Amino acid sequence: MAFLTLTDVTKFYGATCAVQDMNLAIEQGEFVSLLGPSGCGKTTTLQMVAGFEAVTRGQITLAGRDITHAKASTRGLGIVFQSYALFPHMTVAANVGFGLEMRRVPAADRAQRVQQALALVHLKALADRYPRELSGGQRQRVALARALVIEPPVLLLDEPLSNLDAQLREEMQFELRRIQRTLGTTTLMVTHDQDEALSISDRVVVMRAGRTEQIGHPHAVYETPQSRFIAGFVGKANLLEGQLLRPEKLQLLPAGSGRLAGTVKERYFLGSQWLYALDTPAGTLMALAANDSREALAEGQACGIDWPDSALRSLPLPAADGAQAQGAH
């Protein structure tokens, strides 16, 4: 039996269905991300697991115990919110130890566990500071330490890195994964950031309009999407008569060679790569090329385009809006 299980979990707000028939089994120690656009139901799903939202229909079990209608305070879950929700009048150490104090953990034990949690997030030296004296990344680590210090069976993360700048966000993604692996804490994270979900998750749950579109390893979701929505939402894609071709699979060659002729319509510098929009007889295609010793293609320059046969993926016909997508064929 899986450690955390959602069976046919459904949530209605009046006549509006926010989540429909969510089925998910998470193993102990697994890191799973709920990925999807705004309004797809991922945060509502997390809140039902946390106990902040009532389940309309279905069942949630944790370690074999039915917690579907249990109060949030009795579930013992660790939660990190988007806003971090730190107490401004408390020091870092006091913020981290708050949950232990509410659980009436003896002072000596509490102090030891707080120090261990701060060491885990590399903040022992800042124990006596206040939140206003910390950077965004440091406040995020305090919130994470506070959630982990109670030794929760499950850690719930609600867009925990969305308030950080791009560089710090990328650094914290891998720091978060390091901490999770160190402790082996079962983790469920909500995010709309595809790179974040793909880079640190064991599995990704792609949601759309309250339904689950696909559940799988990040590589499988990216390389073999089960619907056109996923192909377009998870990374960039070129669709050729029902087939998917990722931009990085395209090979840009000298003009007159390759299977397809193209002209550079626009180009975008991404640091380590160039992203090209190419006019072709098949329509506009996107291609990624390494920023290496070769000279970048100029706008208006002709080129040849090719790709390995193994890079093509067949996709199903588009499902009706709001309908469940069928399996790939």
Side-chain angles (χ1 to χ4, degrees):
M1 179 180 292
F3 189 63
L4 175 64
T5 304
L6 285 71
T7 306
D8 296 328
V9 170
T10 299
K11 176 64 179 181
F12 276 90
Y13 293 104
T16 302
C17 184
V19 177
Q20 184 168 349
D21 298 325
M22 164 67 81
N23 287 284
L24 178 62
I26 301 176
E27 300 298 329
Q28 190 165 15
E30 193 175 18
F31 193 123
V32 175
S33 290
L34 303 179
L35 174 66
S38 297
C40 71
K42 56 187 185 296
T43 295
T44 301
T45 300
L46 192 82
Q47 290 177 335
M48 286 191 287
V49 174
F52 299 148
E53 289 287 352
V55 175
T56 304
R57 183 177 70 243
Q59 184 183 50
I60 301 174
T61 62
L62 175 61
R65 179 170 67 100
D66 187 343
I67 62 168
T68 310
H69 304 294
K71 294 182 179 179
S73 59
T74 67
R75 301 188 185 196
L77 307 183
I79 305 171
V80 177
F81 298 100
Q82 183 176 345
S83 63
Y84 311 146
L86 301 179
F87 299 113
H89 62 285
M90 290 185 179
T91 64
V92 166
N95 264 285
V96 173
F98 181 77
L100 297 176
E101 185 176 358
M102 292 298 99
R103 288 165 173 76
R104 298 182 179 178
V105 174
D109 186 20
R110 185 167 71 241
Q112 181 181 12
R113 288 170 64 177
V114 166
Q115 287 301 305
Q116 291 172 342
L118 290 177
L120 184 68
V121 298
H122 305 309
L123 288 179
K124 283 186 70 174
L126 305 182
D128 295 327
R129 291 193 184 181
Y130 289 87
R132 64 179 178 273
E133 300 174 308
L134 304 177
S135 68
Q138 290 167 339
R139 288 195 293 271
Q140 193 271 348
R141 293 180 189 217
V142 174
L144 184 58
R146 184 178 62 182
L148 291 172
V149 75
I150 63 173
E151 299 175 353
V154 176
L155 176 64
L156 303 177
L157 305 172
D158 185 9
E159 300 273 10
L161 308 180
S162 61
N163 290 331
L164 304 180
D165 61 64
Q167 181 176 353
L168 184 55
R169 181 170 187 156
E170 183 175 335
E171 292 174 1
M172 287 306 302
Q173 288 174 11
F174 297 105
E175 183 69 6
L176 178 61
R177 183 56 163 156
R178 177 191 68 80
I179 294 169
Q180 189 270 338
R181 282 180 171 170
T182 298
L183 296 178
T185 305
T186 306
T187 302
L188 181 63
M189 180 176 75
V190 162
T191 182
H192 65 271
D193 187 296
Q194 303 141 30
D195 292 338
E196 189 170 284
L198 295 177
S199 64
I200 63 177
S201 306
D202 293 313
R203 284 189 298 153
V204 176
V205 180
V206 184
M207 298 183 67
R208 179 192 184 197
R211 293 178 177 268
T212 301
E213 289 264 324
Q214 185 173 350
I215 302 175
H217 185 276
H219 185 269
V221 171
Y222 183 83
E223 292 289 351
T224 56
Q226 297 296 297
S227 70
R228 295 192 178 206
F229 164 74
I230 298 173
F233 183 75
V234 181
K236 300 176 179 64
N238 299 302
L239 295 173
L240 303 174
E241 296 184 355
Q243 290 188 309
L244 165 73
L245 185 57
R246 293 295 187 188
E248 67 271 20
K249 307 295 186 182
L250 290 181
Q251 301 163 357
L252 300 183
L253 305 171
S257 57
R259 307 187 207 190
L260 197 63
T263 302
V264 178
K265 179 180 179 181
E266 295 174 317
R267 66 177 190 174
Y268 305 93
F269 183 57
L270 306 180
S272 62
Q273 295 175 309
W274 284 93
L275 174 64
Y276 296 102
L278 306 169
D279 278 332
T280 79
T284 299
L285 300 181
M286 306 302 291
L288 280 169
N291 175 28
D292 51 23
S293 58
R294 294 171 295 178
E295 185 175 351
L297 298 177
E299 292 185 358
Q301 183 174 344
C303 65
I305 305 170
D306 210 337
W307 54 86
D309 291 335
S310 61
L312 293 173
R313 295 287 185 271
S314 295
L315 290 173
L317 294 173
D321 188 35
Q324 183 89 25
Q326 301 300 309
H329 59 269

